Amino acid sequence: FYEMLEDPYVRPTIAAYNNGIDACGRFQYQIECNRDASRAAFFKLLNDTRVRPNLRTFMVITWPLVRLGWTRYMEEYRDLLFNEETGLKPDVNCYNRMLKIWRNDVRRPRHKPMVQIFRELCSRGLRPSPETVKIIEEELGWQARDKLLDDYGWKGKVTSVRPPSEGNKPRAGGVEFQVARAGKIGKSESYFCPACSGYNEHFYQNCKHCGAPKPGRNPQKWPKREPGPRIAGVGGTRPKEMGV
């Protein structure tokens, strides 16, 4: 990547810069940020007058900072990217990244900056995502969450639970239980028995607790079989004749 940047005949695009910064950050995840190769590539991008950074640039350069909680570097990158010169403004994903980094910072008071970031998000007319509300709820409590949502008219409209989608597999907990009750669960997914509410892995075609059939199971294709070792010739291939 650095050989490409030093070559005067190569003109990398913003996508190449972002991919290089992301790769360097993930490869040197444990190295301090002031020695990180992604930081050097980031400043190389800022000095390149042919390309302009975008929102993904902020996401890839701040990815190594989430677990470490290095808010000072995050604020530096924020000031360099979101200003009048670049014309960029953070979106909901960028604000969520800022909140995550502040949440993991144990060296500085973080509650007040997190509230300021949330208020800035709402004052710009952006809709908080379920991830935004969940971060605020886990760090500040549900009372502060309700107050902040009520101040900007989002109370009752945004929750910390992501709505279920037909394209996503049901997760463990309430959503998966409701989907299993409705009988919409697939064959390759674990499920809760609609009769006894017991949890079963996906390969159980009958409930291991009460024996009730799996929701949506075809009894003719999957006949009920008692647990235990399979007997040769029963439910499988017939044994070869021994010629005795």
Side-chain angles (χ1 to χ4, degrees):
F1 179 67
Y2 280 102
E3 294 179 357
M4 180 189 69
L5 296 181
E6 297 297 336
D7 192 343
Y9 297 98
V10 177
R11 297 182 178 182
T13 61
I14 182 59
Y17 271 112
N18 290 338
N19 293 335
I21 294 172
D22 188 22
C24 293
R26 294 178 183 274
F27 181 72
Q28 300 187 357
Y29 187 68
Q30 302 293 340
I31 300 181
E32 297 180 3
C33 193
N34 57 358
R35 298 193 318 228
D36 199 350
S38 61
R39 180 176 174 86
F42 172 76
F43 285 103
K44 189 78 174 179
L45 165 63
L46 295 182
N47 295 329
D48 194 341
T49 57
R50 297 177 296 99
V51 295
R52 297 173 63 89
N54 53 20
L55 295 179
R56 186 171 181 266
T57 308
F58 178 80
M59 299 297 291
V60 296
I61 192 60
T62 56
W63 182 85
L65 308 179
V66 175
R67 186 181 65 87
L68 302 173
W70 285 351
T71 55
R72 298 188 185 276
Y73 289 105
M74 183 269 295
E75 292 176 341
E76 179 186 3
Y77 297 145
R78 177 180 179 177
D79 296 338
L80 291 173
L81 290 176
F82 304 126
N83 51 48
E84 297 180 357
E85 183 179 355
T86 60
L88 290 177
K89 293 184 179 180
D91 59 357
V92 178
N93 295 327
C94 295
Y95 282 116
N96 291 342
R97 176 61 57 83
M98 300 176 194
L99 291 174
K100 288 180 180 179
I101 297 175
W102 270 109
R103 181 181 59 180
N104 295 333
D105 190 353
V106 297
R107 296 169 294 274
R108 305 170 63 186
R110 57 185 182 272
H111 289 176
K112 186 176 180 180
M114 293 180 67
V115 173
Q116 292 177 352
I117 293 174
F118 184 85
R119 292 187 180 278
E120 180 183 344
L121 182 152
C122 295
S123 62
R124 290 188 51 219
L126 299 177
R127 180 188 178 93
S129 65
E131 186 178 10
T132 310
V133 181
K134 185 176 181 180
I135 296 173
I136 295 296
E137 179 182 345
E138 292 177 351
E139 185 63 31
L140 305 178
W142 63 270
Q143 297 92 342
R145 176 207 62 189
D146 291 345
K147 183 179 184 305
L148 291 173
L149 293 177
D150 192 19
D151 291 344
Y152 295 94
W154 291 114
K155 186 176 181 180
K157 301 179 182 179
V158 182
T159 62
S160 59
V161 179
R162 189 177 298 274
S165 175
E166 295 182 357
N168 299 330
K169 293 184 178 181
R171 302 178 180 179
V175 176
E176 185 174 4
F177 180 78
Q178 294 173 9
V179 173
R181 285 272 185 170
K184 299 179 181 179
I185 197 162
K187 295 181 180 179
S188 61
E189 301 164 355
S190 303
Y191 66 98
F192 287 90
C193 178
C196 66
S197 303
Y199 179 79
N200 297 273
E201 289 75 11
H202 65 89
F203 48 81
Y204 282 99
Q205 301 302 322
N206 295 280
C207 178
K208 62 182 179 181
H209 305 283
C210 66
K214 179 180 180 179
R217 179 182 66 84
N218 186 359
Q220 297 179 355
K221 185 176 180 181
W222 303 94
K224 184 176 180 181
R225 181 173 61 86
E226 296 297 333
R230 301 192 65 175
I231 304 176
V234 179
T237 59
R238 298 187 63 179
K240 298 181 180 181
E241 296 182 2
M242 303 299 295
V244 179

